[in-house]
Amino acid sequence: MELNNEPQANPYNAGYNNQQVSPVITVGEWMLMMLISIIPIVGIIMMFVWAFGEGNPTKKNYYKAALLWAAIVLVIYILIAVLFLGSMFAAFSNL
C-alpha cells in the first residue's frame, strides 16, 4: 500500500488556499476610527484616506461602503430640497 503525502483538497475552502488573512481590527481601533469619523471635515477626509489608502482590506471596504451610503443620502437630501423649494416657489407665485 502506497501512502500519499500530498495535501488533500478540502471542498469547504476551495479557492481559499492561497488567500492571505488580514489582521483583526480590535474594538478599540474601531471605536477610535468611529470617533474620528464623526468629527466634521476631518472625519470626511479620514474616511477617504482609510477607504483608498494602504491598510487593512476590511477597514478599506467598510469605509468605501460608508462613503457610498453618504453619497446616496446626499443625493436624496438634494432631491428633497429641490422638490421642497420648487413647491414653495410654486405656492408663493400663485399669491
Side-chain angles (χ1 to χ4, degrees):
M1 184 166 156
E2 188 176 319
L3 293 175
N4 186 359
N5 290 332
E6 294 180 20
Q8 298 295 318
N10 186 347
Y12 297 109
N13 68 350
Y16 297 104
N17 294 335
N18 296 329
Q19 187 176 24
Q20 293 182 350
V21 177
S22 60
V24 174
I25 300 174
T26 64
V27 174
E29 289 174 301
W30 280 117
M31 299 228 5
L32 181 63
M33 288 185 299
M34 288 179 180
L35 177 66
I36 292 172
S37 296
I38 62 173
I39 299 172
I41 300 171
V42 174
I44 294 171
I45 294 168
M46 288 307 297
M47 287 175 76
F48 278 100
V49 169
W50 288 325
F52 302 109
E54 296 295 321
N56 191 313
T58 303
K59 182 175 21 172
K60 290 174 68 168
N61 288 337
Y62 174 80
Y63 281 105
K64 285 177 186 176
L67 287 170
L68 282 172
W69 276 116
I72 291 168
V73 168
L74 181 65
V75 167
I76 291 171
Y77 282 165
I78 290 171
L79 288 173
I80 290 171
V82 167
L83 291 172
F84 179 74
L85 290 174
S87 65
M88 293 299 289
F89 285 130
F92 286 125
S93 67
N94 292 334
L95 293 179

PDB file of all heavy atoms in Angstrom, residues 68-93:
ATOM      1  N   LEU A  68     -20.147  55.370   0.049  1.00  0.00           N
ATOM      2  CA  LEU A  68     -21.255  55.157  -0.894  1.00  0.00           C
ATOM      3  C   LEU A  68     -22.593  55.495  -0.257  1.00  0.00           C
ATOM      4  O   LEU A  68     -23.437  56.152  -0.882  1.00  0.00           O
ATOM      5  CB  LEU A  68     -21.254  53.713  -1.393  1.00  0.00           C
ATOM      6  CG  LEU A  68     -20.232  53.402  -2.468  1.00  0.00           C
ATOM      7  CD1 LEU A  68     -20.190  51.907  -2.743  1.00  0.00           C
ATOM      8  CD2 LEU A  68     -20.565  54.151  -3.741  1.00  0.00           C
ATOM      9  N   TRP A  69     -22.808  55.061   0.985  1.00  0.00           N
ATOM     10  CA  TRP A  69     -24.057  55.404   1.669  1.00  0.00           C
ATOM     11  C   TRP A  69     -24.175  56.908   1.872  1.00  0.00           C
ATOM     12  O   TRP A  69     -25.267  57.480   1.731  1.00  0.00           O
ATOM     13  CB  TRP A  69     -24.166  54.687   3.013  1.00  0.00           C
ATOM     14  CG  TRP A  69     -24.710  53.307   2.882  1.00  0.00           C
ATOM     15  CD1 TRP A  69     -24.076  52.152   3.160  1.00  0.00           C
ATOM     16  CD2 TRP A  69     -26.023  52.944   2.427  1.00  0.00           C
ATOM     17  NE1 TRP A  69     -24.902  51.090   2.906  1.00  0.00           N
ATOM     18  CE2 TRP A  69     -26.103  51.540   2.452  1.00  0.00           C
ATOM     19  CE3 TRP A  69     -27.130  53.656   1.997  1.00  0.00           C
ATOM     20  CZ2 TRP A  69     -27.241  50.844   2.075  1.00  0.00           C
ATOM     21  CZ3 TRP A  69     -28.265  52.968   1.617  1.00  0.00           C
ATOM     22  CH2 TRP A  69     -28.311  51.582   1.655  1.00  0.00           C
ATOM     23  N   ALA A  70     -23.077  57.563   2.216  1.00  0.00           N
ATOM     24  CA  ALA A  70     -23.101  59.019   2.390  1.00  0.00           C
ATOM     25  C   ALA A  70     -23.465  59.712   1.083  1.00  0.00           C
ATOM     26  O   ALA A  70     -24.236  60.682   1.075  1.00  0.00           O
ATOM     27  CB  ALA A  70     -21.754  59.511   2.904  1.00  0.00           C
ATOM     28  N   ALA A  71     -22.939  59.226  -0.041  1.00  0.00           N
ATOM     29  CA  ALA A  71     -23.266  59.808  -1.346  1.00  0.00           C
ATOM     30  C   ALA A  71     -24.743  59.596  -1.679  1.00  0.00           C
ATOM     31  O   ALA A  71     -25.415  60.504  -2.185  1.00  0.00           O
ATOM     32  CB  ALA A  71     -22.385  59.205  -2.429  1.00  0.00           C
ATOM     33  N   ILE A  72     -25.266  58.416  -1.388  1.00  0.00           N
ATOM     34  CA  ILE A  72     -26.684  58.127  -1.650  1.00  0.00           C
ATOM     35  C   ILE A  72     -27.575  59.038  -0.813  1.00  0.00           C
ATOM     36  O   ILE A  72     -28.536  59.629  -1.327  1.00  0.00           O
ATOM     37  CB  ILE A  72     -26.988  56.640  -1.375  1.00  0.00           C
ATOM     38  CG1 ILE A  72     -26.310  55.766  -2.427  1.00  0.00           C
ATOM     39  CG2 ILE A  72     -28.490  56.378  -1.321  1.00  0.00           C
ATOM     40  CD1 ILE A  72     -26.309  54.285  -2.093  1.00  0.00           C
ATOM     41  N   VAL A  73     -27.247  59.188   0.455  1.00  0.00           N
ATOM     42  CA  VAL A  73     -28.048  60.053   1.339  1.00  0.00           C
ATOM     43  C   VAL A  73     -27.953  61.506   0.885  1.00  0.00           C
ATOM     44  O   VAL A  73     -28.955  62.238   0.893  1.00  0.00           O
ATOM     45  CB  VAL A  73     -27.588  59.884   2.801  1.00  0.00           C
ATOM     46  CG1 VAL A  73     -28.178  60.951   3.700  1.00  0.00           C
ATOM     47  CG2 VAL A  73     -27.954  58.493   3.308  1.00  0.00           C
ATOM     48  N   LEU A  74     -26.772  61.950   0.458  1.00  0.00           N
ATOM     49  CA  LEU A  74     -26.615  63.324  -0.026  1.00  0.00           C
ATOM     50  C   LEU A  74     -27.486  63.581  -1.248  1.00  0.00           C
ATOM     51  O   LEU A  74     -28.146  64.626  -1.341  1.00  0.00           O
ATOM     52  CB  LEU A  74     -25.143  63.601  -0.339  1.00  0.00           C
ATOM     53  CG  LEU A  74     -24.821  64.999  -0.843  1.00  0.00           C
ATOM     54  CD1 LEU A  74     -25.100  66.031   0.245  1.00  0.00           C
ATOM     55  CD2 LEU A  74     -23.375  65.068  -1.297  1.00  0.00           C
ATOM     56  N   VAL A  75     -27.523  62.637  -2.182  1.00  0.00           N
ATOM     57  CA  VAL A  75     -28.366  62.790  -3.378  1.00  0.00           C
ATOM     58  C   VAL A  75     -29.841  62.851  -2.982  1.00  0.00           C
ATOM     59  O   VAL A  75     -30.599  63.674  -3.513  1.00  0.00           O
ATOM     60  CB  VAL A  75     -28.091  61.634  -4.377  1.00  0.00           C
ATOM     61  CG1 VAL A  75     -29.147  61.580  -5.464  1.00  0.00           C
ATOM     62  CG2 VAL A  75     -26.707  61.789  -4.975  1.00  0.00           C
ATOM     63  N   ILE A  76     -30.264  62.013  -2.044  1.00  0.00           N
ATOM     64  CA  ILE A  76     -31.664  62.033  -1.595  1.00  0.00           C
ATOM     65  C   ILE A  76     -31.992  63.374  -0.940  1.00  0.00           C
ATOM     66  O   ILE A  76     -33.049  63.960  -1.202  1.00  0.00           O
ATOM     67  CB  ILE A  76     -31.936  60.853  -0.646  1.00  0.00           C
ATOM     68  CG1 ILE A  76     -31.897  59.539  -1.427  1.00  0.00           C
ATOM     69  CG2 ILE A  76     -33.280  61.019   0.071  1.00  0.00           C
ATOM     70  CD1 ILE A  76     -31.944  58.294  -0.557  1.00  0.00           C
ATOM     71  N   TYR A  77     -31.085  63.890  -0.096  1.00  0.00           N
ATOM     72  CA  TYR A  77     -31.314  65.198   0.533  1.00  0.00           C
ATOM     73  C   TYR A  77     -31.420  66.307  -0.508  1.00  0.00           C
ATOM     74  O   TYR A  77     -32.265  67.203  -0.388  1.00  0.00           O
ATOM     75  CB  TYR A  77     -30.196  65.532   1.522  1.00  0.00           C
ATOM     76  CG  TYR A  77     -30.288  64.828   2.845  1.00  0.00           C
ATOM     77  CD1 TYR A  77     -29.200  64.787   3.702  1.00  0.00           C
ATOM     78  CD2 TYR A  77     -31.452  64.194   3.265  1.00  0.00           C
ATOM     79  CE1 TYR A  77     -29.260  64.147   4.928  1.00  0.00           C
ATOM     80  CE2 TYR A  77     -31.524  63.553   4.472  1.00  0.00           C
ATOM     81  CZ  TYR A  77     -30.430  63.534   5.309  1.00  0.00           C
ATOM     82  OH  TYR A  77     -30.504  62.899   6.525  1.00  0.00           O
ATOM     83  N   ILE A  78     -30.580  66.258  -1.522  1.00  0.00           N
ATOM     84  CA  ILE A  78     -30.627  67.283  -2.570  1.00  0.00           C
ATOM     85  C   ILE A  78     -31.950  67.202  -3.324  1.00  0.00           C
ATOM     86  O   ILE A  78     -32.585  68.238  -3.601  1.00  0.00           O
ATOM     87  CB  ILE A  78     -29.414  67.153  -3.513  1.00  0.00           C
ATOM     88  CG1 ILE A  78     -28.139  67.569  -2.786  1.00  0.00           C
ATOM     89  CG2 ILE A  78     -29.605  67.972  -4.782  1.00  0.00           C
ATOM     90  CD1 ILE A  78     -26.855  67.277  -3.542  1.00  0.00           C
ATOM     91  N   LEU A  79     -32.407  65.996  -3.642  1.00  0.00           N
ATOM     92  CA  LEU A  79     -33.701  65.839  -4.324  1.00  0.00           C
ATOM     93  C   LEU A  79     -34.850  66.367  -3.478  1.00  0.00           C
ATOM     94  O   LEU A  79     -35.742  67.060  -3.991  1.00  0.00           O
ATOM     95  CB  LEU A  79     -33.939  64.366  -4.677  1.00  0.00           C
ATOM     96  CG  LEU A  79     -33.082  63.799  -5.801  1.00  0.00           C
ATOM     97  CD1 LEU A  79     -33.310  62.302  -5.927  1.00  0.00           C
ATOM     98  CD2 LEU A  79     -33.401  64.503  -7.108  1.00  0.00           C
ATOM     99  N   ILE A  80     -34.835  66.075  -2.196  1.00  0.00           N
ATOM    100  CA  ILE A  80     -35.891  66.566  -1.306  1.00  0.00           C
ATOM    101  C   ILE A  80     -35.855  68.089  -1.235  1.00  0.00           C
ATOM    102  O   ILE A  80     -36.902  68.753  -1.280  1.00  0.00           O
ATOM    103  CB  ILE A  80     -35.765  65.933   0.088  1.00  0.00           C
ATOM    104  CG1 ILE A  80     -36.123  64.453   0.018  1.00  0.00           C
ATOM    105  CG2 ILE A  80     -36.639  66.647   1.107  1.00  0.00           C
ATOM    106  CD1 ILE A  80     -35.838  63.674   1.286  1.00  0.00           C
ATOM    107  N   ALA A  81     -34.657  68.673  -1.144  1.00  0.00           N
ATOM    108  CA  ALA A  81     -34.536  70.128  -1.075  1.00  0.00           C
ATOM    109  C   ALA A  81     -35.033  70.775  -2.357  1.00  0.00           C
ATOM    110  O   ALA A  81     -35.753  71.790  -2.314  1.00  0.00           O
ATOM    111  CB  ALA A  81     -33.081  70.516  -0.816  1.00  0.00           C
ATOM    112  N   VAL A  82     -34.704  70.196  -3.506  1.00  0.00           N
ATOM    113  CA  VAL A  82     -35.166  70.754  -4.785  1.00  0.00           C
ATOM    114  C   VAL A  82     -36.681  70.669  -4.886  1.00  0.00           C
ATOM    115  O   VAL A  82     -37.354  71.630  -5.288  1.00  0.00           O
ATOM    116  CB  VAL A  82     -34.470  70.034  -5.965  1.00  0.00           C
ATOM    117  CG1 VAL A  82     -35.141  70.350  -7.283  1.00  0.00           C
ATOM    118  CG2 VAL A  82     -33.000  70.407  -6.011  1.00  0.00           C
ATOM    119  N   LEU A  83     -37.249  69.523  -4.514  1.00  0.00           N
ATOM    120  CA  LEU A  83     -38.707  69.374  -4.549  1.00  0.00           C
ATOM    121  C   LEU A  83     -39.397  70.338  -3.594  1.00  0.00           C
ATOM    122  O   LEU A  83     -40.415  70.951  -3.930  1.00  0.00           O
ATOM    123  CB  LEU A  83     -39.103  67.933  -4.232  1.00  0.00           C
ATOM    124  CG  LEU A  83     -38.748  66.889  -5.291  1.00  0.00           C
ATOM    125  CD1 LEU A  83     -39.018  65.497  -4.768  1.00  0.00           C
ATOM    126  CD2 LEU A  83     -39.518  67.150  -6.567  1.00  0.00           C
ATOM    127  N   PHE A  84     -38.848  70.486  -2.387  1.00  0.00           N
ATOM    128  CA  PHE A  84     -39.438  71.385  -1.401  1.00  0.00           C
ATOM    129  C   PHE A  84     -39.365  72.831  -1.874  1.00  0.00           C
ATOM    130  O   PHE A  84     -40.357  73.571  -1.810  1.00  0.00           O
ATOM    131  CB  PHE A  84     -38.727  71.226  -0.057  1.00  0.00           C
ATOM    132  CG  PHE A  84     -39.253  72.124   1.017  1.00  0.00           C
ATOM    133  CD1 PHE A  84     -40.465  71.864   1.616  1.00  0.00           C
ATOM    134  CD2 PHE A  84     -38.537  73.246   1.407  1.00  0.00           C
ATOM    135  CE1 PHE A  84     -40.963  72.703   2.600  1.00  0.00           C
ATOM    136  CE2 PHE A  84     -39.015  74.088   2.384  1.00  0.00           C
ATOM    137  CZ  PHE A  84     -40.235  73.822   2.996  1.00  0.00           C
ATOM    138  N   LEU A  85     -38.188  73.246  -2.360  1.00  0.00           N
ATOM    139  CA  LEU A  85     -38.055  74.626  -2.826  1.00  0.00           C
ATOM    140  C   LEU A  85     -38.916  74.883  -4.057  1.00  0.00           C
ATOM    141  O   LEU A  85     -39.504  75.967  -4.193  1.00  0.00           O
ATOM    142  CB  LEU A  85     -36.589  74.942  -3.132  1.00  0.00           C
ATOM    143  CG  LEU A  85     -35.675  75.040  -1.906  1.00  0.00           C
ATOM    144  CD1 LEU A  85     -34.235  75.207  -2.339  1.00  0.00           C
ATOM    145  CD2 LEU A  85     -36.112  76.175  -1.007  1.00  0.00           C
ATOM    146  N   GLY A  86     -39.030  73.894  -4.931  1.00  0.00           N
ATOM    147  CA  GLY A  86     -39.880  74.050  -6.091  1.00  0.00           C
ATOM    148  C   GLY A  86     -41.338  74.206  -5.719  1.00  0.00           C
ATOM    149  O   GLY A  86     -42.065  75.048  -6.281  1.00  0.00           O
ATOM    150  N   SER A  87     -41.776  73.436  -4.744  1.00  0.00           N
ATOM    151  CA  SER A  87     -43.180  73.555  -4.299  1.00  0.00           C
ATOM    152  C   SER A  87     -43.406  74.885  -3.566  1.00  0.00           C
ATOM    153  O   SER A  87     -44.484  75.483  -3.684  1.00  0.00           O
ATOM    154  CB  SER A  87     -43.574  72.383  -3.413  1.00  0.00           C
ATOM    155  OG  SER A  87     -42.826  72.389  -2.216  1.00  0.00           O
ATOM    156  N   MET A  88     -42.415  75.369  -2.840  1.00  0.00           N
ATOM    157  CA  MET A  88     -42.551  76.658  -2.157  1.00  0.00           C
ATOM    158  C   MET A  88     -42.634  77.791  -3.180  1.00  0.00           C
ATOM    159  O   MET A  88     -43.465  78.704  -3.027  1.00  0.00           O
ATOM    160  CB  MET A  88     -41.372  76.883  -1.210  1.00  0.00           C
ATOM    161  CG  MET A  88     -41.334  75.939  -0.031  1.00  0.00           C
ATOM    162  SD  MET A  88     -42.778  76.075   1.029  1.00  0.00           S
ATOM    163  CE  MET A  88     -42.495  77.624   1.786  1.00  0.00           C
ATOM    164  N   PHE A  89     -41.792  77.773  -4.201  1.00  0.00           N
ATOM    165  CA  PHE A  89     -41.842  78.811  -5.231  1.00  0.00           C
ATOM    166  C   PHE A  89     -43.173  78.748  -5.981  1.00  0.00           C
ATOM    167  O   PHE A  89     -43.762  79.786  -6.322  1.00  0.00           O
ATOM    168  CB  PHE A  89     -40.682  78.689  -6.199  1.00  0.00           C
ATOM    169  CG  PHE A  89     -39.366  79.162  -5.632  1.00  0.00           C
ATOM    170  CD1 PHE A  89     -38.239  78.363  -5.728  1.00  0.00           C
ATOM    171  CD2 PHE A  89     -39.252  80.394  -5.021  1.00  0.00           C
ATOM    172  CE1 PHE A  89     -37.028  78.778  -5.206  1.00  0.00           C
ATOM    173  CE2 PHE A  89     -38.054  80.824  -4.494  1.00  0.00           C
ATOM    174  CZ  PHE A  89     -36.921  80.013  -4.588  1.00  0.00           C
ATOM    175  N   ALA A  90     -43.656  77.555  -6.261  1.00  0.00           N
ATOM    176  CA  ALA A  90     -44.939  77.415  -6.962  1.00  0.00           C
ATOM    177  C   ALA A  90     -46.081  77.943  -6.103  1.00  0.00           C
ATOM    178  O   ALA A  90     -47.022  78.592  -6.608  1.00  0.00           O
ATOM    179  CB  ALA A  90     -45.183  75.957  -7.340  1.00  0.00           C
ATOM    180  N   ALA A  91     -46.037  77.678  -4.803  1.00  0.00           N
ATOM    181  CA  ALA A  91     -47.106  78.131  -3.891  1.00  0.00           C
ATOM    182  C   ALA A  91     -47.097  79.645  -3.761  1.00  0.00           C
ATOM    183  O   ALA A  91     -48.152  80.283  -3.740  1.00  0.00           O
ATOM    184  CB  ALA A  91     -46.939  77.481  -2.518  1.00  0.00           C
ATOM    185  N   PHE A  92     -45.921  80.263  -3.657  1.00  0.00           N
ATOM    186  CA  PHE A  92     -45.867  81.705  -3.486  1.00  0.00           C
ATOM    187  C   PHE A  92     -46.059  82.463  -4.791  1.00  0.00           C
ATOM    188  O   PHE A  92     -46.407  83.634  -4.783  1.00  0.00           O
ATOM    189  CB  PHE A  92     -44.533  82.108  -2.845  1.00  0.00           C
ATOM    190  CG  PHE A  92     -44.456  81.781  -1.387  1.00  0.00           C
ATOM    191  CD1 PHE A  92     -43.431  81.018  -0.876  1.00  0.00           C
ATOM    192  CD2 PHE A  92     -45.437  82.252  -0.496  1.00  0.00           C
ATOM    193  CE1 PHE A  92     -43.366  80.695   0.464  1.00  0.00           C
ATOM    194  CE2 PHE A  92     -45.361  81.957   0.838  1.00  0.00           C
ATOM    195  CZ  PHE A  92     -44.332  81.172   1.330  1.00  0.00           C
ATOM    196  N   SER A  93     -45.853  81.817  -5.930  1.00  0.00           N
ATOM    197  CA  SER A  93     -46.066  82.511  -7.198  1.00  0.00           C
ATOM    198  C   SER A  93     -47.558  82.649  -7.521  1.00  0.00           C
ATOM    199  O   SER A  93     -47.935  83.485  -8.324  1.00  0.00           O
ATOM    200  CB  SER A  93     -45.358  81.783  -8.328  1.00  0.00           C
ATOM    201  OG  SER A  93     -45.957  80.526  -8.545  1.00  0.00           O
TER     202      SER A  93
END
